[in-house]
Amino acid sequence: MKHLAGLALLICLPLSAQAQEEEERGLSLMERGAQMFMEGIMKEMAPAIDGLEDLADQMGPALRSFAKEMGPKLGEILDEVEDWSVYEAPEILPNGDIIIRRKPEPPLEEPETPKEPAPQIDL
């Protein structure tokens, strides 16, 4: 029995020393695991992020030009339209024109009036 207690004590000493060492460094086991997880995700995502940067470099000048030319006109349209929910999605016609149709208004329902029996006349 004394041997088992001594063995358990010897096993626990390095574990407690390791835990104390991690606490002194400021990272708990959960924090270290989360850090390792995030590092793995960043390594996996690096090629995709690089691809997005290349795409942004290619598209940047065209988007700036579009915003410079169309920005004021789009602002005027936004000021004119009060409620965009009454319009359908824009449609590009074969000739290149873009139209935005107004949604059809729902039919007005006539209130139901109770039908009264025709008055009877006694003679």
Side-chain angles (χ1 to χ4, degrees):
M1 221 24 136
K2 289 181 183 180
H3 296 286
L4 287 176
L7 183 60
L9 180 62
L10 287 175
I11 291 173
C12 290
L13 283 177
L15 292 177
S16 65
Q18 183 181 8
Q20 184 178 5
E21 186 178 298
E22 286 179 0
E23 286 179 13
E24 289 174 1
R25 285 185 297 167
L27 296 177
S28 70
L29 189 58
M30 290 295 289
E31 291 169 332
R32 181 67 185 137
Q35 183 181 18
M36 290 172 63
F37 177 73
M38 291 304 294
E39 288 171 358
I41 287 179
M42 292 302 291
K43 286 179 185 175
E44 291 289 324
M45 294 297 295
I49 291 172
D50 292 341
L52 286 175
E53 288 174 355
D54 293 340
L55 181 64
D57 290 341
Q58 292 172 0
M59 298 289 292
L63 289 174
R64 278 190 289 278
S65 173
F66 177 79
K68 183 179 178 182
E69 293 176 22
M70 297 299 293
K73 294 295 180 186
L74 289 174
E76 289 175 17
I77 291 173
L78 291 174
D79 290 340
E80 291 286 325
V81 177
E82 293 177 10
D83 184 12
W84 285 97
S85 67
V86 297
Y87 295 95
E88 294 181 354
E91 180 181 342
I92 300 175
L93 299 178
N95 65 0
D97 289 350
I98 300 172
I99 60 172
I100 302 174
R101 290 191 171 101
R102 192 174 189 84
K103 291 180 182 175
E105 293 184 20
L108 296 174
E109 294 181 19
E110 295 181 20
E112 291 186 26
T113 55
K115 294 186 178 183
E116 297 178 15
Q120 292 183 359
I121 301 174
D122 290 332
L123 294 175

